[in-house]
Amino acid sequence: MLYRLFKPEDFAQIYAIEELCFQPPFRFSRGYLRQIVQSAASATWIAEQDDVIAGFAVAEWAQSADVPEAYIQTIEVAPEHRRQGIGKELLRRVESSAQAAGAGSIWLHVDSENTHAIRLYETHGYHHEGREEHYYARRRAALIYRKPLRDLTATA
Ligand SMILES: CC(C)(COP(=O)(O)OP(=O)(O)OC[C@H]1O[C@@H](n2cnc3c(N)ncnc32)[C@H](O)[C@@H]1OP(=O)(O)O)[C@@H](O)C(=O)NCCC(=O)NCCS
């Protein structure tokens, strides 16, 4: 598996993965995904095998915050490539980019019923920080997780 940063010509493939991974109301619109991957204050990592994209992850960071922090917008692996360590490696890569950009911590929302993603975060140094009711839709809550980035090697 090759890990590299996003290039504009990857967009159609990553949006196809978005459509495989999420149904509305969880799915990003094309316009929103394009906006976050093109932001100067974000990093999008791609996992690719034989010119086919298997997964991607996007983190962004606040440029003007007093205590800079990063936010994981998404991490997605195509169904046929799951459970091979790709999600874990994409997570590690977006954390490293966020740390290099000066972020002291990284946080995210995750659907309270997304047990696989919750397990990924809980086993990789993220602690539960809160819950937002109706975040995705009526009666669909998000959990908030955060990880300090000061010592990535401790939880790698
Ligand atoms: C969540 C997701 C990104 C994980 O990707 P992945 O490449 O399969 O993950 P990995 O193989 O790196 O697994 C890392 C860890 O995550 C957890 N995990 C991932 N899939 C799991 C599953 N099906 N059952 C239980 N634990 C799981 C495990 O702790 C696993 O570690 P282990 O294999 O050592 O037990 C993937 O399932 C996915 O794309 N889901 C749909 C999109 C999504 O929900 N993204 C999260 C948005 S917040």
Side-chain angles (χ1 to χ4, degrees):
M1 193 65 58
L2 169 74
Y3 292 90
R4 60 167 175 81
L5 288 168
F6 170 84
K7 295 180 283 192
E9 56 268 34
D10 297 327
F11 189 79
Q13 276 199 67
I14 69 168
Y15 199 74
I17 294 178
E18 174 75 27
E19 289 180 313
L20 279 175
C21 288
F22 294 111
Q23 299 301 316
F26 301 94
R27 185 184 292 163
F28 289 153
S29 68
R30 270 195 178 71
Y32 184 71
L33 186 59
R34 203 181 288 281
Q35 181 189 317
I36 58 175
V37 301
Q38 286 177 347
S39 162
S42 75
T44 300
W45 280 94
I46 300 287
E48 181 181 60
Q49 193 163 43
D50 302 328
D51 294 330
V52 175
I53 295 179
F56 71 101
V58 190
E60 62 182 4
W61 41 87
Q63 286 169 311
S64 57
D66 287 346
V67 181
E69 60 177 16
Y71 180 72
I72 296 182
Q73 281 281 0
T74 195
I75 172 163
E76 304 179 20
V77 176
E80 67 273 26
H81 292 284
R82 290 185 190 159
R83 295 314 301 266
Q84 296 167 32
I86 298 172
K88 197 172 2 188
E89 181 60 21
L90 287 169
L91 190 59
R92 197 182 73 72
R93 300 245 172 184
V94 292
E95 288 169 359
S96 296
S97 292
Q99 190 181 41
S105 68
I106 189 163
W107 68 287
L108 57 92
H109 288 97
V110 59
D111 173 10
S112 60
E113 295 180 19
N114 192 343
T115 52
H116 300 163
I118 290 170
R119 182 155 171 71
L120 167 66
Y121 302 129
E122 287 186 344
T123 54
H124 289 84
Y126 288 75
H127 57 266
H128 182 218
E129 196 177 71
R131 177 182 172 100
E132 273 183 52
E133 301 299 337
H134 313 298
Y135 179 77
Y136 297 102
R138 264 175 77 82
R139 292 201 279 275
R140 204 63 181 256
L143 304 183
I144 296 171
Y145 278 84
R146 183 181 295 271
K147 177 179 181 174
L149 290 176
R150 284 176 291 282
D151 187 8
L152 280 178
T153 51
T155 52

